[in-house]
Amino acid sequence: EYETAKKKYDADLAAYNQAQAQYLEAKKVYDAQIAQMEADKNKPGHLSQAVGQAFVFNGETNATVKITGGRFTQPKAAVAPSSVFQETLLNHPTMDEYNRSTTVPTAMVTEPSRGDSSGWWSMMWKVGDHVRVEYTNLTNTSFAGRKISKVVYNYDVLSSSNPDGLINAVVYRNPTVTIDLSTDNTIKTKEVRVRLTPEYYYEDGTKVDFSKASALITTGSTNYDYYAGQFESVQNIKDMRFIPITGSSIVNNNGIYAATRNNSHKAGR
């Protein structure tokens, strides 16, 4: 009995020592990375604050997707030099097309040249719609070392500058890319506003609590346009704080995170 207990103790001690060594090595790497971030924080293109990242959310191009809500439309044919994606997204949405749309998913569009943004569905949303996009079969997502198996994005369409309250939407198979939206801006006094409420779940079905460690996320394209009364922004963020990128035109404008100048053209053009 003593020998059995001694063997178990020795095995547990060896496992502990191995785990401790791995932890110390990982901490050494982490501390070095934080120190480098601290040294670089005042350089253009770097985060203005050194913050660790416990959220791993890499390309999930093989995710299984289930979309409920909204309407599915047929993608537009490519007209050179535009792509199928450009023609579909930049098309002005109309009620005639909305009435011909369906709640049954159309075929996913695959454009290999777009990399992680290759697979997507063409949709049309209307003010008042609630669209739920569920992603499962995730293989590259975790938080604080614990695997995340499901992501759910809840989109609520709040307003549109289109006279009929319509918005073109491209929903991506890759949850790290999310969506692209576009519509005409006929009603200059109305904004295009869509609220996103994300949910992340572990394998046992419990929801991820991101307050347990730091999780850095980014939003794309918010520095593309900035015209009088027309700019892309992120607003009403909850349980998060904004960390500027040094040298970026994206700043906190009283709770509206957006560019303060037009970045879509080179100076003088």
Side-chain angles (χ1 to χ4, degrees):
E1 189 171 317
Y2 169 79
E3 290 298 327
T4 300
K6 180 70 165 58
K7 285 182 180 180
K8 183 178 183 308
Y9 170 81
D10 290 342
D12 289 345
L13 180 60
Y16 169 81
N17 288 337
Q18 182 179 12
Q20 178 71 357
Q22 291 173 342
Y23 164 77
L24 292 174
E25 183 60 31
K27 186 176 185 305
K28 181 180 178 181
V29 173
Y30 173 84
D31 289 345
Q33 290 174 337
I34 291 294
Q36 188 62 54
M37 291 179 71
E38 184 68 30
D40 292 337
K41 68 181 184 180
N42 294 319
K43 298 177 181 179
H46 291 264
L47 276 183
S48 59
Q49 181 181 340
V51 182
Q53 171 66 301
F55 183 36
V56 177
F57 196 27
N58 294 324
E60 293 283 4
T61 54
N62 293 314
T64 300
V65 185
K66 180 181 179 182
I67 305 172
T68 53
R71 308 278 291 189
F72 292 88
T73 56
Q74 293 296 331
K76 304 299 180 184
V79 178
S82 294
S83 64
V84 174
F85 168 78
Q86 290 171 315
E87 292 294 330
T88 300
L89 188 65
L90 299 180
N91 169 61
H92 284 193
T94 64
M95 281 304 300
D96 179 62
E97 187 174 8
Y98 182 82
N99 291 332
R100 287 186 282 107
S101 62
T102 175
T103 57
V104 179
T106 51
M108 183 179 72
V109 179
T110 302
E111 294 180 293
S113 62
R114 303 195 70 230
D116 284 353
S117 302
S118 170
W120 51 271
W121 288 268
S122 173
M123 299 190 72
M124 191 174 291
W125 297 353
K126 192 175 183 180
V127 171
D129 279 354
H130 173 79
V131 182
R132 184 180 188 273
V133 186
E134 177 183 290
Y135 298 87
T136 53
N137 189 39
L138 307 183
T139 58
N140 303 311
T141 304
S142 63
F143 179 63
R146 186 176 175 185
K147 179 178 171 58
I148 293 174
S149 62
K150 182 172 76 172
V151 176
V152 177
Y153 293 144
N154 296 286
Y155 298 100
D156 292 286
V157 185
L158 305 180
S159 65
S160 171
S161 54
N162 174 276
D164 298 306
L166 302 176
I167 297 175
N168 289 324
V170 164
V171 178
Y172 291 96
R173 182 182 188 181
N174 185 351
T176 68
V177 183
T178 63
I179 60 172
D180 269 311
L181 302 174
S182 179
T183 193
D184 54 281
N185 61 343
T186 304
I187 306 176
K188 305 295 184 183
T189 56
K190 278 195 174 182
E191 298 176 313
V192 177
R193 294 174 64 90
V194 176
R195 179 173 59 228
L196 165 62
T197 307
E199 302 169 353
Y200 300 83
Y201 294 89
Y202 293 120
E203 291 178 289
D204 63 1
T206 58
K207 189 179 289 188
V208 178
D209 180 1
F210 286 106
S211 68
K212 302 299 182 183
S214 58
L216 296 173
I217 64 169
T218 62
T219 59
S221 187
T222 46
N223 66 347
Y224 179 69
D225 281 330
Y226 190 92
Y227 299 98
Q230 177 181 322
F231 57 90
E232 297 174 316
S233 69
V234 175
Q235 304 177 30
N236 304 317
I237 61 174
K238 183 181 178 182
D239 300 326
M240 293 187 287
R241 62 188 175 89
F242 174 62
I243 302 176
I245 295 174
T246 302
S248 172
S249 61
I250 304 296
V251 295
N252 182 357
N253 301 278
N254 296 317
I256 300 176
Y257 304 94
T260 52
R261 62 175 183 266
N262 185 0
N263 296 282
S264 59
H265 302 282
K266 290 184 178 180
R269 293 188 181 183

